[in-house]
Amino acid sequence: MTAQTLPAGDQAVAAPAIELANAARWYGNVVAVNDVSFSLGAGVTGLLGPNGAGKTTLLHMLAGFLAPSAGTVHVLGRSPHRDPSVYRQIGLVPERESVYAFLTGYEYVRFNARLQGMRNADSAARASIARVGLEDAADRAIGTYSKGMRQRVKVAGALVHDPQVLLLDEPFNGMDPRQRLSMMDLLVEMAGAGRTILFSSHILEEVERIGTEILVLVAGRLAASGDFRAIRALMTDRPHTITIRSSDDRRLATTLMADPAVFAVELKENALSVQTAHLSAFRRIIATAGRTAGVRLTEVVPADESLESVFDYLVRR
Amino acid sequence: MSAGNRLSASSPSGSIFDLGYRHYAGKRHGRWYAAWSLYVESLRGVWGFGRPMSAKAAPFILAGLYSFFAFLQLAFSSTLANEISSGQQVQLFAYDSYFTQFGFLLILFCVAQAPEVVCRDQRYQVLSLYFTRAMGRADYALARLASLATALFLALIVPMIALFVGDVLMKPDTISAIGVELPKALPAIPADILIAASMASISLALSSYSPRRAYSAIGLIAYFLLMEAVPAIIYAVAQQGGWTSADKLVLLTPITSLSGATDWFFGKALGADYPATLGADTYVVACIASVAVFSAILLFRYRRMAA
Amino acid sequence: MSGTPMTGSSMTGSLTAFPEIVRLTFRQQLGRRRTLLLVLLAALPPLLALIFRAFGEVDVSRFTDRVFDLVSMTIVLPLATVLFGTGAFGAENDEGTILYLLAKPISRWVIVAAKAFAAVALSLVLTVASVLVAGAIEVVPAGSAGVSATEAYVGAMVVGSLCYVLLFLTLSLFTRRALVLGIGYSLVWEGALSSLLPGIANLSVRQYALGVADSFYQLHQQAARLSPTTALTLSAILIVVALALATWRLMHFELSGSTD
C-alpha cells in the first residue's frame, strides 16, 4: 500500500489509477489543456493553478464529461468518456455550488447511494454524512445550508459508494478553517486506505497541509509535478529567503552582509530575513558567521518554502 | 510582507499614496440621464444587440415573422398592380387589419423578450446596484417599460411602412399616390403606440413577478391566451343565459380589445364577432385603462421588491 | 492493496435508479408557485363548466367546441406539457445539478425514461382530471353524447401528454430556449400555420391527439384531420424518435470548460 509517487514507478502491482498521455483539450481556438501527461496512484494530489489555467477542464476530462481533443485519458485503465459504468469507481465533486435545494442532506446522499445501485443505501448514507461531520444538519433541507455545509454534503454524496478515485473541484471553497482541516484529514485518511484523490485549488496553503504531491497547471500546460519541496529545490535561479532568530540579530546581520553568497539582509522585529542563492552554501556560512560573531542561533527557517512562492515563480517564469 | 516592516522601529505612521488615478471632477448627469442610459441599453438588449447571436435569434425571427406578409406584398407589388389594373379582385393586407390578423406573433415576441428584460436582474440579485445609483425604483421600472414598448412599436410600424411603400408603388402616379395613401396609413401611428404600450405594460408587469424566465414566460402566455378565450366564452354563454352586461367582459381581452381600438383609430366599423352593444371608442378607453393598471402594478411591484 | 478497478459492466444501478429519479423529478416539478399556477390552469375548464351550468347551457357540441377544444386542447394541454416537459431537465441544466445524475453508473436511457415518465405522469394527472371534472359537471348529465365527448378528450389528453412532453423534453436538451420554441410550436405551427398548410397535420401533436380521440369514440369532429391509424403510428414514431434523440444527447453530453 505504498503511496505511489509520480511519475509512476512501474513495479507497482496495479496500473496507475489516473493516467494522461499527451492529453489536450481545446474549444475552438482556445486551448484549455495543452499536451499534459502524468499518472497518479493512491494518495492525495493537489492540482494547482491560477483561475483559468484549465483545472476544471482537466477534471471534467477525467470525469468523462469532456473528450480529450488529442491524446488519451485513462481512469482505472479505461477511458471514462461515454462509459457510464466507470462511475462505479469515481466520485465527483463539481465546482458549482448548487445541490438540490429541496432535498435534505440525508436524502441527497441517500439518492446518490441509490443511483450507485447500493442495497444498503440508508446505512451508507448515514455513514457518509458522519464522515463529513454533518449529522446535526442531515435532516434539514440543503437550501438552508451554508456554503461550507453544501461543499461537505457534496463530498458526502461523492464518497458514499467508496470510490477508488475521488475528483474534487475546489472542494475547500466556502469552508471555514476548521472545516477545511477536518476535510483535509478525511482526504488523507482515504488516501491512506489506497484511494486516489485529486483535488484542484488556487489557494496554496490548502495543498501544503494535505499532500506533498502537486501538479501545477499554468495556462493549460503542466508546469511542474511532484513533491513541492523538491520542485522548489530545482529552482536554483531564484533566491531563497531564510528567517533567522538569534541572540543578537544586528550583529549577525553585519557579519552576514560581508559574505558574497548573501544577497540581502533585512532586520525585522525579533528576526533576520536573509536572501541567498544557494541553500547548501548558506548552511555552512551561517554556522561560521554565528561562531565569528559570537551569536547564538535560536532558529533558522526557510521562510518562503510555501507553495505560494513556488507557484509565483512558475507562473512568472 | 517583509518590505513594509523595514522601518518598524520608528513610531507608527501611515500614508495614502497617490498612484496617479484621476478623479472625476466633471459634471455628473442626474437621474434622467441614468434612466435614459438604462432605456437605451435595455432597448438594445431586447433586440439582442451587444449580446451573442443566439440572443438576437428570438426577437428577429418573431418580429420578422410579423412583418413577413407585409414584405411579401411589397415584393410582389408589381404583379399585384398588374392584376389590379387588369380588373381582378385582389385581397390585400391592409393597415387597419394587419394587427388583427398577425398580432398573436407579437404575443410570442412579448413572451420571449419581456422575461429577458426584467428577470435576470432579479435572478442575479443586482437590482440593488441600480437602486443605489442616481436612478430610483420607479425610474428603473419605467425605463424598462419604455424600452420594451419602443421595441414593440418598431416591430409594429415596420410592416406598416412596407405596406405603405407597396401601396404607393402599385399606383401609376407616385406623387399623388402618396397623397392618397398617407392619410390612410397615418392612423397606424397612434394605434401602434397604444398597442405597444398596452402589450409592454401587461408583459412586464406579469414578468416582474418571477425571477425565473421560464415561469415568467409560461405565466405570460397563459395570461394572454386565457384572457382572450375565457371572456369570449363566458360572454357567449351569458348572452344566451340573458346576462346583458356580460358584454363588458370582452373589454378584458388584451388582443381583441386592441384590435377594436385599432378599428376606432382607422374609423372602421367593428367586426361581427364584437358585441354590438359596445362602440369602438370603448375599446380605446379600455386599452388606455389597461396600460394605466398594469403600469401601476409594475411600479407597485418594484416599490415593494427587496433589492 | 485495493488498486484493482472493479470493472462491473452490468448496470444494476438502473433498477433502483428509475424510481429514485422519478421521485426526485416529482419534487422538482411541484414547487409551491408552480403547483398553484398549474392547478389554477387546470381548474379553468371545470370553472367554465360551472358557468355553463349556471346559465343553463346544455348543448354538448357547443361546450365541446368552446371548452374542451379551445381551452383544454389548445391552452391547458400545451402549457402544462411545455412546463413539465421542459422542466424535467430544465432546472438540472440551469443549476448544473445534471452532473449528479450523469456521474452515475446508469444507462443514459434510464435517466431519460425516468424523467419522461415523471413529466408525463404529472401532465396526465393534471389534464385528464381537468377534462374529467369539467365533463362530469357539464356534459355527462346530458347523456351518452356527453359521455363520449368527455371520453374522446380524455383520450386526446393521454396521447397529447405523451407526445408533447417527450417532444418538449427532448427539445430542452438541445436548446436553452425550448420553452419559447414549444409555445411557438403550439401557437404558430399547430395553430395558425396548420390552417394555411394542411400537410402540417402530419407534424402536429394536436392533430395526433384529435385523430386518436376520434378513432376511439367515433365522435363527430371536423377538427380531426388524420385517420386514427395514421395518428397512432405518427405518435408512436414521435415518442420513439424523441426518446432516442434525448438518450443520444445525454450520451454525448459535454460540459463547457468555462465556469460561467
Side-chain angles (χ1 to χ4, degrees), chain B:
Chain B
M1 250 175 262
S2 52
N5 290 339
R6 223 169 276 223
L7 299 170
S8 59
S10 57
S11 62
S13 63
S15 56
I16 294 169
F17 304 107
D18 184 359
L19 299 178
Y21 290 114
R22 289 174 56 181
H23 298 279
Y24 181 72
K27 184 171 169 280
R28 279 178 197 272
H29 299 290
R31 58 186 277 218
W32 295 113
Y33 187 81
W36 169 255
S37 305
L38 180 66
Y39 165 76
V40 172
E41 208 36 59
S42 183
L43 179 58
R44 285 165 48 86
V46 176
W47 293 102
F49 289 114
R51 308 216 174 144
M53 274 313 284
S54 56
K56 297 180 183 74
F60 276 96
I61 288 174
L62 291 169
L65 275 175
Y66 181 70
S67 313
F68 178 74
F69 301 95
F71 279 96
L72 202 67
Q73 180 161 313
L74 174 60
F76 287 98
S77 51
S78 65
T79 323
L80 292 169
N82 284 339
E83 286 180 5
I84 291 167
S85 60
S86 65
Q88 276 176 290
Q89 202 63 37
V90 180
Q91 189 68 43
L92 292 176
F93 294 120
Y95 309 112
D96 53 8
S97 59
Y98 197 83
F99 174 76
T100 313
Q101 280 170 292
F102 303 111
F104 65 94
L105 288 167
L106 289 180
I107 297 180
L108 274 181
F109 185 92
C110 291
V111 169
Q113 297 312 103
E116 297 285 321
V117 175
V118 285
C119 291
R120 253 187 258 255
D121 288 344
Q122 288 183 54
R123 186 91 202 270
Y124 300 119
Q125 303 178 339
V126 294
L127 277 174
S128 53
L129 295 179
Y130 288 103
F131 297 160
T132 50
R133 297 297 186 274
M135 190 180 350
R137 287 164 179 255
D139 302 335
Y140 172 89
L142 290 175
R144 292 287 196 200
L145 176 60
S147 71
L148 184 64
T150 311
L152 275 168
F153 179 75
L154 291 175
L156 282 158
I157 207 74
V158 165
M160 292 297 119
I161 295 169
L163 287 183
F164 175 74
V165 173
D167 284 352
V168 169
L169 291 181
M170 275 181 230
K171 307 285 175 346
D173 179 5
T174 312
I175 302 301
S176 69
I178 291 177
V180 176
E181 284 296 323
L182 203 56
K184 281 201 241 165
L186 277 181
I189 292 173
D192 287 351
I193 288 173
L194 184 62
I195 295 170
S198 169
M199 291 182 82
S201 57
I202 293 173
S203 304
L204 277 199
L206 296 179
S207 283
S208 69
Y209 274 85
S210 170
R212 304 217 26 186
R213 282 179 291 159
Y215 297 162
S216 278
I218 283 280
L220 258 185
I221 190 71
Y223 178 84
F224 274 114
L225 292 182
L226 292 174
M227 289 309 282
E228 275 311 302
V230 173
I233 292 170
I234 297 177
Y235 166 67
V237 183
Q239 230 185 356
Q240 283 153 353
W243 180 30
T244 46
S245 53
D247 54 353
K248 308 281 187 301
L249 284 172
V250 180
L251 296 174
L252 292 173
T253 58
I255 303 301
T256 308
S257 297
L258 284 171
S259 295
T262 308
D263 288 347
W264 182 82
F265 282 109
F266 283 101
K268 190 182 153 198
L270 289 173
D273 38 350
Y274 284 88
T277 44
L278 296 173
D281 51 345
T282 339
Y283 294 99
V284 179
V285 176
C287 290
I288 292 172
S290 109
V291 174
V293 168
F294 281 99
S295 302
I297 291 175
L298 180 71
L299 289 172
F300 176 77
R301 168 73 179 148
Y302 274 96
R303 190 147 52 138
R304 291 300 213 68
M305 199 182 297

